[in-house]
Amino acid sequence: MTDTTDAAPPATDGGDPPDGSEFGVGEQNSDGPRIEFRGGKWMSTVPIAFFILWAVFQSGILGVGGADGLVIGALIGTILGMFFVRGSWKAYADTIFEGMTQRVAATAIVAWLWAGMFADTLQVGQFVNGLIFAADALNVGGATFPAAAFILCGLLATGIGTGYGATIAFVTLFFPAGVLLGANPVLLFAAILSGAVFGDNLAPVSDTTIVSAVTQDADIGGVVASRFKYAILAAVPAFVAYLVMGSVLPGTSLEGAAELDAAAAGLVHLVSMGIVIVTAVAGRHIVEAISWGIVVAVAFNLLFGLSSVSDILVFTVSEAGTFTSLPFVAVGETTGVGGSLYTGATGFFPLIVLTLLIVSMAQIMIRGGGFEAIQTFLLDRVATTVRRAELTMVLGTATINGMITINTAAEIAIAPYVARIGEKFNINGYRRANILDANTSALGYIFPWAGGVLVGYQVMVGPDGLGAEYGPEMVVNPIEVVPYVFHGWFLVAIFILAAVTGFGREYIPDRVSEEVSRA
Amino acid sequence: MSVFDKFLAGWSFRGSRPDYAAGDVLEVMVTGEGDGGHVARIGDSTLRIEGAPEDAINTRIIVDVESWDDSAHTGRATYRKTVGESAF
């Protein structure tokens, strides 16, 4: 189907069209290479290539998760690249600063800090316990437990924005309950991972959602609204598949009643979550949207007794004094600041540092000519039509996420290529962001070495894990889970079909993203 | 665009060769050069642009479509103003 546009200028939804100069990119990148490398422009890819190899070795081969280790890989890679520079190293060093000060990184960082505070405040506010109450009230049995887990974990992940956090919470609290009720452990774990994929993909406060939007010049609210169609088309058959397979696959022979730590009041955070989603989709600044979410979540926590003040913010001092009577000052062995606002924000610090380093490595590649060389190869040899360009974006994102299992890091690394390849065919920023994030979210929770699978598995096999508490029936081999992460597989399949058929495709002239500063 | 419209946008199959008409005002990304002017490739359709700045490649510009050939999926447009740049 082909369309003809109206004569009127494209709507900008009330705001001026995004100005690329806000991001500190584009203008400077149009210059020729400024850094010369021994061995040619391909050597400018050494820092990021080293980082990718490091990430594959750390997360894929050794199974070590977490962004902290990747930071060291990025630092060493950056130092390594310097030895291949011809002439003065000053331009190389300056480019590190140039990359780190790009607006694209700062926008993501600000959104992460706010999202982290909101997510942790929901967690201390017994949101999970509220979801457990819902499952209990709906009288969910062993056969239907996986389907319920998919929906409820999806809700939690959409609220707190972190699929990893939702996976840990659900494997800790929901998984043993389901297995004891007779659900198949493999299917139940896979259903939880599917819920994490759903939330990671759709939540406006998700780190991957934020990265996908800001790297493609699109506002976060608009991105969430535009990807709903793909998410729901994958989620509905996934839900049905969990219902069917829940009846087919047998449960374990564990006996005993599940101890459900349920709290109905925790469900009030569906409102906190809804406020963030509605205000973000309505086009309000993401900082404003999440700030309102934080205010409401804190109010609900205190009003309904879901958490104490010190669960949200606490100063811990070593000795009692004048201020220790205050609800946010406590006496403890180690002094410091704590609470959900603190842990929520600081939890993103490693990822923030990693993002700055990856963006600076990408800038080195741009300045050295390596970025253009790869892009030219892809555009000349692979992405020669819009259909092939979209397939390249889908499969390229899936491949890099299959290798680098900390999915946000993989997403940041592939984002510049998705942007440039898409722009060369005038593919809309919303569409590019959706291709980028769907495959990032899905692949981060399917394979045995994926970060999302590993965090859940760790809960089972850790020193005080489920295996130690309940026995080996409560431990799932990650490789068995692969075929059952239905939502992840369906999401990838839908994007391959969408690239081939043009479903959901939008071009830049069709619709202009709102300002990215309103991200 | 309303919140509801944002959720409904894109529920369709879009062709790889979109067509436009003379008189359309479009925002496009300039994707290349050719025949002494600039080119915006929109999907697998091609819009030739006259009057754009020399360094217009990888910038987003507003153009007036002057003519369009539905059979060849190509058209000609004139530059109006620059409104943005590439995301990277």
Side-chain angles (χ1 to χ4, degrees):
Chain A
M1 183 182 108
T2 55
D3 299 335
T4 301
T5 64
D6 296 324
T12 57
D13 298 336
D16 292 331
D19 178 357
S21 62
E22 287 181 348
F23 298 86
V25 294
E27 182 186 347
Q28 56 200 343
N29 299 339
S30 60
D31 302 338
R34 282 195 332 196
I35 313 171
E36 273 196 51
F37 284 84
R38 292 190 178 89
K41 55 192 173 188
W42 286 99
M43 297 308 287
S44 66
T45 63
V46 164
I48 210 153
F50 177 85
F51 166 74
I52 290 172
L53 288 175
W54 177 291
V56 170
F57 181 69
Q58 180 195 311
S59 60
I61 297 173
L62 297 181
V64 179
D68 315 47
L70 296 184
V71 168
I72 307 304
L75 283 169
I76 295 174
T78 305
I79 294 170
L80 195 63
M82 196 151 54
F83 291 103
F84 294 95
V85 173
R86 195 187 296 278
S88 168
W89 289 359
K90 184 177 182 305
Y92 186 94
D94 286 344
T95 306
I96 295 172
F97 285 85
E98 185 185 39
M100 286 190 177
T101 52
Q102 287 191 57
R103 181 69 177 262
V104 67
T107 308
I109 288 167
V110 168
W112 280 338
L113 291 173
W114 261 254
M117 290 190 289
F118 176 68
D120 274 23
T121 302
L122 249 61
Q123 282 200 312
V124 300
Q126 301 186 42
F127 189 32
V128 176
N129 308 72
L131 296 176
I132 290 175
F133 171 84
D136 199 25
L138 294 170
N139 201 20
V140 175
T144 51
F145 212 91
F150 169 54
I151 297 290
L152 296 174
C153 185
L155 266 178
L156 178 70
T158 305
I160 65 175
T162 159
Y164 287 8
T167 301
I168 292 169
F170 260 67
V171 172
T172 305
L173 300 165
F174 218 73
F175 179 81
V179 174
L180 289 168
L181 282 171
N184 180 277
V186 174
L187 191 67
L188 182 54
F189 186 28
I192 289 170
L193 294 172
S194 276
V197 172
F198 181 88
D200 234 7
N201 178 223
L202 197 61
V205 294
S206 157
D207 50 358
T208 64
T209 301
I210 291 165
V211 168
S212 72
V214 300
T215 57
Q216 306 304 318
D217 262 13
D219 61 290
I220 293 172
V223 157
V224 169
S226 68
R227 77 178 39 157
F228 179 75
K229 54 183 170 290
Y230 306 110
I232 205 70
L233 283 176
V236 170
F239 177 73
V240 173
Y242 284 120
L243 277 180
V244 172
M245 294 307 291
S247 308
V248 173
L249 295 176
T252 63
S253 58
L254 274 171
E255 294 292 331
E259 288 295 325
L260 298 174
D261 188 11
L267 284 175
V268 78
H269 284 307
L270 287 172
V271 176
S272 317
M273 195 176 94
I275 284 170
V276 174
I277 293 173
V278 169
T279 49
V281 171
R284 308 301 284 268
H285 197 296
I286 193 70
V287 168
E288 184 186 342
I290 304 178
S291 293
W292 278 117
I294 293 170
V295 168
V296 172
V298 168
F300 282 163
N301 280 4
L302 300 179
L303 203 62
F304 294 102
L306 294 168
S307 78
S308 65
V309 172
S310 61
D311 287 332
I312 299 166
L313 181 68
V314 63
F315 298 89
T316 306
V317 295
S318 56
E319 291 178 10
T322 313
F323 295 105
T324 47
S325 58
L326 294 170
F328 49 84
V329 179
V331 180
E333 288 181 9
T334 311
T335 60
V337 181
S340 64
L341 298 179
Y342 172 83
T343 55
T346 56
F348 276 103
F349 284 4
L351 194 56
I352 286 170
V353 176
L354 182 63
T355 302
L356 291 171
L357 289 167
I358 291 177
V359 175
S360 71
M361 287 189 292
Q363 191 69 7
I364 289 166
M365 207 163 72
I366 289 169
R367 288 289 178 230
F371 182 89
E372 191 178 2
I374 294 173
Q375 181 188 298
T376 302
F377 168 79
L378 289 173
L379 289 171
D380 290 351
R381 305 284 179 83
V382 185
T384 50
T385 65
V386 67
R387 191 171 289 150
R388 292 183 65 166
E390 288 199 336
L391 278 172
T392 303
M393 289 153 67
V394 171
L395 298 177
T397 307
T399 304
I400 195 99
N401 274 283
M403 292 192 303
I404 302 178
T405 62
I406 289 113
N407 58 358
T408 314
E411 187 176 38
I412 296 166
I414 194 73
Y417 289 99
V418 170
R420 272 296 171 94
I421 292 171
E423 284 174 350
K424 285 294 177 190
F425 291 86
N426 267 278
I427 296 168
N428 197 289
Y430 292 133
R431 171 77 161 183
R432 301 196 309 263
N434 290 336
I435 289 174
L436 179 60
D437 194 50
N439 295 285
T440 295
S441 301
L443 270 297
Y445 295 89
I446 290 179
F447 294 118
W449 56 84
V453 179
L454 290 174
V455 294
Y457 182 61
Q458 189 59 34
V459 174
M460 299 174 190
V461 298
D464 299 316
L466 302 178
E469 190 174 347
Y470 296 95
E473 293 87 352
M474 203 64 86
V475 177
V476 174
N477 183 347
I479 196 125
E480 292 182 62
V481 175
V482 175
Y484 301 110
V485 187
F486 295 127
H487 185 68
W489 285 120
F490 291 166
L491 209 49
V492 174
I494 276 173
F495 270 91
I496 290 173
L497 283 173
V500 172
T501 63
F503 173 74
R505 183 183 294 148
E506 291 183 89
Y507 296 108
I508 289 175
D510 294 346
R511 186 156 62 120
V512 178
S513 300
E514 294 181 22
E515 289 177 89
V516 180
S517 58
R518 309 176 94 212
Chain B
M1 186 182 272
S2 71
V3 172
F4 189 63
D5 289 338
K6 287 181 183 178
F7 277 95
L8 292 182
W11 278 92
S12 61
F13 292 89
R14 192 79 157 89
S16 57
R17 294 185 166 186
D19 284 318
Y20 301 95
D24 285 353
V25 180
L26 307 176
E27 180 179 325
V28 293
M29 178 71 70
V30 182
T31 57
E33 289 177 311
D35 294 341
H38 287 88
V39 172
R41 182 169 179 166
I42 308 167
D44 295 334
S45 300
T46 307
L47 186 63
R48 302 200 177 282
I49 302 157
E50 293 164 5
E54 276 187 21
D55 58 352
I57 292 182
N58 294 329
T59 62
R60 286 199 317 276
I61 63 173
I62 302 287
V63 297
D64 296 311
V65 178
E66 305 290 350
S67 64
W68 189 267
D69 181 346
D70 281 344
S71 56
H73 307 288
T74 59
R76 192 172 55 80
T78 52
Y79 168 84
R80 188 187 278 189
K81 64 175 179 177
T82 302
V83 292
E85 292 173 325
S86 167
F88 275 89

